[in-house]
Amino acid sequence: MNEKRDIRALSKEELRIFFKNKGDQAFRGNQVYEWLWQKGVHSFEAMTSLPKATREMLEAEFVINHIKVDVMQRSDDGTIKNAVRLHDGLLVESVLIPTDTRTTACVSSQVGCSLNCSFCATARLKRMRNLLADEIYDQVRVIDEQSRAFFGRPLTNIVFMGMGEPLMNYNNVLKAIDKITSADGLGMSPKRITVSTSGVPKLIKKMADDQVKFKLAVSLHSAIKSVRTSIMPFNEQFPLEELREALQYWYQKTRNRITYEYVVWKGINDQRKDVEALIKFCKFAPSKVNLIEYNPIDDGDFQQAAPEALQLYQQLLEEAGITVTVRHSRGKDIDAACGQLANKGQNK
């Protein structure tokens, strides 16, 4: 038996051609596309504007490989974490982070991760595969529905800071963002989307060449080569010099400010020399530094730096004219905070 194709792999034009080849009207392709992406249905039977015979034909030829939320957990602070089951049984996690003024979806791009950051729980999972564009899109749609249901407003922002390195799944991430921002999809502004990377220079340059409209964030954590390599070993393959050159290229092409995500750990990057190296690294373009509260992942190798270290970072960065924000993590009680996503307690 031939395996059925996932209908969501077809573009709108391909759907139109499919119906024409079946002797039907091309506009049926438009209708199906709208049901799949704007209305988010997961069955052909639900496509009620189509004749019954057409729905049965689609059922015979295609599948809709949608995600399912296996477990939804709610934190004391309102954060929601979803354990998302994919069509092949694998799991990823996504998070809805609410504040008084916005709701943000933190979405995954890979099952596991391609990189090996020693402070991140996700990096300890074997990378199984990249997520497809529709699986990324589905995470956002589910969180938008949860935002409306629990907080009375639509989703306002999206960050690619969940499981995986987004740039190692470049094509599918960009396809998903196209769907999310399209009028045929969720119609969100690309300016409300941030893609966070640990730093893959070649692909940062490619994003600039592709003239993407979303924002860029870089998980930096140290601007000293030996320190960064000790906590992010892939820094050997993608050294800081190449990362900085790629970010200069990004800024020259896009004129968009760069955000650096930065955790300060006790005994690792909490000295004045660490701050000075960061300032020097940031100086080539307008930038913002988010100092992120560290969220332990059980083994005690990494510990949150003393408040004085964070104050030193804040003071020196501000004196250097660099915007700095201290971010307090949410959802820690359900392992939903930065660096904690690891399918904990879920069946693998």
Side-chain angles (χ1 to χ4, degrees), residues 32-44:
V32 171
Y33 194 88
E34 183 180 335
W35 280 111
L36 291 171
W37 299 107
Q38 276 191 316
K39 297 178 180 175
V41 301
H42 292 158
S43 74
F44 296 110

Side-chain angles (χ1 to χ4, degrees), residues 141-189:
R141 174 171 282 284
V142 165
I143 291 176
D144 180 52
E145 291 169 359
Q146 291 172 334
S147 178
R148 293 169 191 270
F150 290 103
F151 302 101
R153 58 179 183 265
L155 183 67
T156 59
N157 296 78
I158 302 167
V159 292
F160 281 78
M161 295 183 188
M163 301 170 77
E165 165 53 60
L167 297 195
M168 293 296 196
N169 187 14
Y170 188 91
N171 290 337
N172 286 333
V173 166
L174 262 65
K175 281 182 192 172
I177 291 173
D178 281 346
K179 285 277 195 301
I180 290 163
T181 56
S182 166
D184 290 331
L186 295 179
M188 289 189 69
S189 167

Side-chain angles (χ1 to χ4, degrees), residues 1-18:
M1 287 180 64
N2 291 328
E3 195 170 321
K4 293 181 185 179
R5 290 183 294 166
D6 184 351
I7 195 168
R8 294 197 297 178
L10 301 182
S11 67
K12 185 191 286 188
E13 188 54 34
E14 286 169 333
L15 284 169
R16 288 173 60 84
I17 291 168
F18 169 80

